[in-house]
Amino acid sequence: MVSLLILMTYASVVLGGSIIYDGRAPFTLTSAALDASSGPYLTGVKGDKSASYYSTLLGHSLLPTPLWNKKLFPFLSTATVPTEQVIAVSIDNSSVFAPGGGNHQYGFRRTELIAQKNGSHVALNAEMEVGVTLFHFSIKLDPHRPLNYKHEYQVVFIEPNDGSHVFGIQLGSPFTNPTGPLPTKDAHSFKVLDHSLNILFSTIFSPSTWHNFAVQVDWDLRTLQVFYSKNGAPLRSVTNVLPNPTIAAGPTGQGDFHFGVLKLPVVNTADSPENQGDVVHYGIQEGTTEGLLYSGVFVERP
């Protein structure tokens, strides 16, 4: 009990705020929980195979971001003691999502985990998307499942019902119609986007590195601020507080917190002109297995 109290006190000092949602996968989380869509993630956005086919809990085989997994008791041990396990999220040619069981999204390939708490993502959204909240996530390249940077990837976002994103993290070459030269010059960079798709911050997706992000959302004033670091370095502000005025105010502007791999197609010139712009249902996709590694996912009120 004393050890647990010390651990909780240390964590509160490190985080500096009250945690609303903790998506850092504990070592007790199992593949069965992913398949059942229980625990901290709603796992229904995927292809027709089980959730654990597309999302793999890596246990102790890979260290998570050191930012939130540093030496808990340095006076007792020199070893790093991870408090979470990494999740590998992947897509392949079977990763075709069918919302409600129909209208398959053949243009996309997607596997996403959606934040939920006590079995509800709706109640969590109402709790964490008011006032000022800070969305944390850390991303690392998966060397076994490389991305195809000729495509656009949306890898973290909050999605209201209208399909827009309060903010988003993009990799790869942004979709254009007609298609320009691929890959684009910034294809290997993370781009942090606001609701209007303006780039707020960009940084190279360097390999063998945990890229730590935090996006602060003021839901009342409708602003964003981006924080970033690598590996165990403390987060630092990389933008000022910036307006995000095009997002709807109140509950209409709230949405599910997604992280994973959403891959857009490139234009298929054999499609009709009308369908060439329908990225959800048309376009060219390749069937390779691709993915990203995630840890350090949580939401706090600073």
Side-chain angles (χ1 to χ4, degrees), residues 183-239:
T184 57
K185 291 181 179 180
D186 62 353
H188 291 261
S189 292
F190 288 105
K191 281 85 73 178
V192 183
L193 309 179
D194 67 7
H195 182 257
S196 296
L197 305 183
N198 299 304
I199 298 176
L200 306 182
F201 172 69
S202 179
T203 188
I204 295 291
F205 187 17
S206 52
S208 304
T209 302
W210 278 109
H211 296 265
N212 309 306
F213 293 88
V215 179
Q216 182 168 283
V217 183
D218 188 320
W219 297 92
D220 298 323
L221 298 180
R222 286 181 286 175
T223 64
L224 301 172
Q225 186 173 15
V226 182
F227 300 80
Y228 172 77
S229 74
K230 293 181 180 179
N231 295 319
L235 290 166
R236 64 179 183 88
S237 173
V238 291
T239 72

Side-chain angles (χ1 to χ4, degrees), residues 83-211:
T83 57
E84 62 168 320
Q85 56 180 318
V86 175
I87 303 179
V89 181
S90 67
I91 56 171
D92 62 18
N93 208 37
S94 73
S95 303
V96 177
F97 178 49
N103 196 21
H104 288 73
Q105 297 180 343
Y106 289 112
F108 287 160
R109 298 294 181 268
R110 61 190 304 189
T111 303
E112 293 146 42
L113 306 181
I114 296 174
Q116 67 174 359
K117 184 177 177 181
N118 299 324
S120 174
H121 59 108
V122 176
L124 175 60
N125 295 348
E127 179 184 0
M128 72 181 176
E129 297 178 5
V130 293
V132 179
T133 46
L134 199 59
F135 292 78
H136 291 267
F137 42 92
S138 297
I139 308 172
K140 191 174 185 179
L141 182 147
D142 187 338
H144 303 294
R145 300 173 181 87
L147 304 181
N148 180 345
Y149 289 95
K150 293 181 179 180
H151 289 255
E152 175 183 343
Y153 298 85
Q154 298 171 5
V155 299
V156 179
F157 51 89
I158 298 175
E159 185 174 38
N161 287 334
D162 64 3
S164 66
H165 295 166
V166 175
F167 70 82
I169 310 297
Q170 181 192 83
L171 282 166
S173 303
F175 175 87
T176 59
N177 183 19
T179 302
L182 297 175
T184 57
K185 291 181 179 180
D186 62 353
H188 291 261
S189 292
F190 288 105
K191 281 85 73 178
V192 183
L193 309 179
D194 67 7
H195 182 257
S196 296
L197 305 183
N198 299 304
I199 298 176
L200 306 182
F201 172 69
S202 179
T203 188
I204 295 291
F205 187 17
S206 52
S208 304
T209 302
W210 278 109
H211 296 265

Side-chain angles (χ1 to χ4, degrees), residues 223-266:
T223 64
L224 301 172
Q225 186 173 15
V226 182
F227 300 80
Y228 172 77
S229 74
K230 293 181 180 179
N231 295 319
L235 290 166
R236 64 179 183 88
S237 173
V238 291
T239 72
N240 295 321
V241 175
L242 300 172
N244 195 31
T246 57
I247 189 67
T252 303
Q254 297 173 350
D256 292 335
F257 177 31
H258 296 237
F259 68 96
V261 184
L262 168 56
K263 179 185 178 187
L264 276 65
V266 294

